């Protein structure tokens, strides 16, 4: 059956066209979208408001513009060529190589969300749960993503963070965190030196999109007794390499 013979619901079709507008732009305003699609501004606003209410689009309160939302990302991970499907074999490789737990996370507000986890075979291992949340500022995965955020997005995030001291190593002020993020940019990966939990060491690298902005991270975590300095450096290099390969397989230009 040709498209001309199919019944098209115009409002749904227009909503889909709005989402497709973000193919080459990270953020767009109502006026920009209405011009791109030759739609009346009030119609465009109504559709965008509906998509925003359902988490398909998210509004940047500082710019007044919109971007693709986390709910669309969550639904997108259900398709066959999903982020999970691409990343899990890499997590399995990491566990096979280093014998420690590997994770896939995304950033949500001031927290990181664990999407996938491949367990270490050791009896002593980390206790993160898939779907669980951890603070962004004292986790390797959080710092790996924060370090490569656009400057404005990073500043907005820092303003929202409420620092709590979980261990003696937890960073609890903005300046110290910024200095830590400078080191992450130099190395390409982040480390959590018992900053969230005593006895736990974690290394992470960000997965970047086509705008070179982080949207996820992969990590390896284990007890400090098994995570020597040389091993952590080796793991960091492997994570950076794997993260770049994942971005390429997702269709993002490196």
């Amino acid at each position: 059956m040709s498209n001309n013979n199919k019944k098209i619901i115009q409002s749904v079709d227009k909503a889909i066209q709005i989402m497709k507008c973000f193919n080459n732009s990270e953020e767009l305003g109502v006026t920009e979208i209405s011009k791109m699609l030759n739609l009346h501004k009030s119609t465009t606003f109504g559709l965008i408001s509906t998509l925003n209410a359902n988490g398909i689009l998210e509004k940047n309160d500082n710019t007044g513009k919109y971007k693709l939302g986390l709910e669309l990302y969550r639904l997108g991970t259900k398709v066959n060529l999903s982020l999970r499907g691409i990343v899990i074999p890499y997590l399995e490789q990491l566990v096979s190589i280093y014998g420690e737990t590997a994770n896939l996370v995304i950033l949500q507000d001031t927290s990181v969300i664990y999407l996938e986890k491949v367990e270490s075979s050791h009896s002593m291992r980390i206790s993160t749960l898939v779907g669980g949340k951890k603070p962004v500022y004292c986790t390797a995965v959080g710092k790996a993503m924060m370090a490569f955020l656009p400057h404005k997005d990073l500043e907005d995030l820092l303003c929202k963070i409420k620092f709590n001291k979980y261990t003696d190593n937890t960073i609890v002020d903005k300046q110290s965190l910024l200095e830590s993020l400078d080191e992450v940019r130099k190395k390409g990966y982040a480390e959590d030196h018992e900053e969230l939990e005593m006895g736990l060491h974690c290394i992470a690298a960000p997965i970047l999109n086509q705008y070179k902005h982080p949207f996820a991270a992969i990590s390896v975590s284990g007890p400090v007794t098994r995570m020597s300095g040389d091993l952590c450096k080796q793991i960091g290099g492997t994570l950076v390499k794997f993260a770049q390969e994942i971005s390429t397989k997702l269709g993002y230009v490196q």
Side-chain angles (χ1 to χ4, degrees):
M1 182 182 291
S2 69
N3 287 336
N4 290 334
N5 293 326
K6 290 180 179 178
K7 184 176 180 180
I8 302 297
I9 300 174
Q10 289 190 357
S11 59
V12 176
D13 184 62
K14 289 174 182 175
I16 292 170
Q17 293 303 316
I18 286 174
M19 288 185 278
K20 288 182 177 180
C21 286
F22 292 89
N23 189 47
N24 296 310
S25 301
E26 187 173 17
E27 285 192 351
L28 291 168
V30 174
T31 301
E32 292 172 295
I33 293 172
S34 66
K35 289 180 178 178
M36 290 171 72
L37 299 179
N38 196 26
L39 290 176
H40 194 279
K41 191 172 180 179
S42 62
T43 301
T44 305
F45 180 75
L47 290 165
I48 288 174
S49 296
T50 302
L51 292 170
N52 182 44
N54 286 279
I56 302 299
L57 294 182
E58 292 179 2
K59 186 176 182 180
N60 183 330
D61 292 331
N62 293 300
T63 64
K65 295 187 176 185
Y66 294 84
K67 62 182 179 179
L68 296 177
L70 185 63
E71 180 62 15
L72 185 62
Y73 170 79
R74 186 187 69 81
L75 292 171
T77 62
K78 302 297 182 181
V79 301
N80 290 334
L81 292 177
S82 66
L83 176 63
R84 283 182 171 92
I86 291 172
V87 173
I88 287 175
Y90 284 98
L91 300 184
E92 291 172 342
Q93 283 188 65
L94 288 166
V95 175
S96 176
I97 296 168
Y98 299 111
E100 302 296 348
T101 300
N103 305 279
L104 166 67
V105 306
I106 57 170
L107 181 65
Q108 185 180 59
D109 197 26
T110 59
S111 301
V112 293
I113 310 293
Y114 286 78
L115 291 186
E116 288 293 344
K117 175 183 179 181
V118 177
E119 291 273 17
S120 162
S121 60
H122 292 291
S123 58
M124 183 180 177
R125 55 198 184 200
I126 67 170
S127 59
T128 54
L129 297 174
V130 172
K133 289 185 179 183
K134 298 291 183 182
V136 68
Y137 64 92
C138 56
T139 53
V141 284
K143 292 192 292 181
M145 290 185 282
M146 289 180 72
F148 295 93
L149 285 172
H151 178 74
K152 185 65 170 64
D153 291 349
L154 176 59
E155 285 297 318
D156 292 343
L157 177 57
L158 289 170
C159 290
K160 296 178 184 178
I161 291 175
K162 294 180 180 179
F163 291 96
N164 290 310
K165 194 170 184 65
Y166 294 94
T167 74
D168 289 340
N169 295 340
T170 305
I171 295 173
V172 290
D173 67 90
K174 178 179 174 180
Q175 186 56 43
S176 297
L177 180 57
L178 286 172
E179 291 172 3
S180 176
L181 297 181
D182 283 339
E183 287 299 311
V184 174
R185 294 185 195 99
K186 292 175 184 176
K187 295 190 299 184
Y189 61 90
E191 295 187 67
D192 158 14
H193 301 277
E194 300 181 90
E195 294 166 41
L196 179 63
E197 182 181 338
M198 289 305 296
L200 175 66
H201 194 102
C202 184
I203 306 102
I207 302 172
L208 307 180
N209 64 17
Q210 66 267 43
Y211 309 108
K212 307 298 183 185
H213 299 165
F215 66 95
I218 52 175
S219 69
V220 170
S221 301
V224 292
T225 53
R226 294 199 298 261
M227 304 289 275
S228 67
D230 288 342
L231 177 61
C232 289
K233 186 175 181 180
Q234 183 182 345
I235 291 173
T238 303
L239 286 168
V240 170
K241 177 177 178 289
F242 281 6
Q244 291 172 345
E245 290 180 9
I246 291 166
S247 291
T248 299
K249 288 185 178 181
L250 287 168
Y252 301 136
V253 179
Q254 292 296 318

